[in-house]
Amino acid sequence: MRSEDEARFRDMARRQAAPMRRFAYLLCGDWHLAEDLVQNALTKLYSAWWRIRGADTLDHYVRKTVVRCWLDEVRRPWRRAEDRTGVVPDVADHDGDPAAVGQRAQTRDLVLRALAEVPSRQRAVLVLRYFEDLSVADTAAALGCSQGTVKSQSARGLDKMRAVIARSGPDFSALTGGRTES
């Protein structure tokens, strides 16, 4: 790789590493696996760097690479036997009202726990649509599926999350908009 391309790649990796890690964590729910996914994605991006052209497509290409690395990881048979439902440690938030901080942490944990129970394809759609704020068309392009599939997977994934949250008790009915599983 030429030195100017190498510098461009290093700059992209520096800028994108933290957002890629957060995105990967939302997909898999495990910080260690998220770091592995980012490392795998950066390796793949490095080997294909000569094909990546404009800055407009770069973010899309990076997200798509992380999603594909995660889906590859999920499909591995030896991963299916592993239980990843352990407790995720909270990061201390020293600002604000302690009661509000506790409520936010509880709500965040509930949403992450609910997201972890959603099937992998639906989870990918939900993360791209609602955490990465992509349009239906961009999500479909990132996952290589139709827009109708994105819409149906999104609806099913949200229903699954609502059901998990509803099972968590009446304290969280505000998160589901008062809806319960039927």
Side-chain angles (χ1 to χ4, degrees):
M1 183 181 299
R2 296 183 315 200
S3 61
E4 62 194 36
D5 287 338
E6 180 89 25
R8 256 185 70 221
F9 177 80
R10 286 178 189 264
D11 182 52
M12 181 281 304
R14 239 181 261 114
R15 282 184 293 106
Q16 293 285 340
M20 285 172 69
R21 186 171 175 252
R22 280 191 303 271
F23 175 60
Y25 173 75
L26 289 170
L27 288 172
C28 68
D30 179 357
W31 285 112
H32 299 291
L33 180 56
E35 289 172 356
D36 291 345
L37 292 173
V38 169
Q39 189 66 39
N40 291 342
L42 286 173
T43 302
K44 289 181 180 189
L45 288 167
Y46 184 83
S47 65
W49 189 248
W50 61 274
R51 287 186 303 212
I52 303 172
R53 295 285 182 234
D56 294 340
T57 61
L58 183 60
D59 290 338
H60 172 75
Y61 200 88
V62 166
R63 273 193 298 272
K64 192 172 191 174
T65 304
V66 172
V67 168
R68 287 186 174 169
C69 286
W70 175 65
L71 289 173
D72 287 346
E73 192 72 21
V74 170
R75 291 180 186 131
R76 291 186 180 165
W78 59 270
R79 281 270 188 215
R80 291 187 191 124
E82 189 173 343
D83 182 21
R84 298 188 164 273
T85 60
V87 177
V88 178
D90 284 335
V91 177
D93 182 9
H94 300 290
D95 298 329
D97 178 33
V101 169
Q103 181 62 35
R104 281 195 307 266
Q106 192 176 13
T107 302
R108 181 186 64 240
D109 289 344
L110 178 65
V111 170
L112 290 174
R113 207 173 33 237
L115 189 61
E117 290 193 32
V118 173
S120 59
R121 190 76 171 172
Q122 293 172 8
R123 187 179 329 153
V125 168
L126 292 176
V127 169
L128 288 169
R129 286 281 294 130
Y130 300 108
F131 289 93
E132 289 293 311
D133 202 26
L134 294 183
S135 67
V136 172
D138 290 341
T139 302
L143 294 175
C145 62
S146 71
Q147 292 183 24
T149 300
V150 169
K151 292 175 186 177
S152 66
Q153 294 292 305
S154 178
R156 289 182 187 132
L158 288 172
D159 286 344
K160 175 73 173 174
M161 285 185 71
R162 283 187 191 104
V164 171
I165 291 170
R167 282 195 318 254
S168 296
D171 295 340
F172 296 102
S173 63
L175 291 176
T176 62
R179 293 159 121 186
T180 57
E181 183 179 12
S182 48

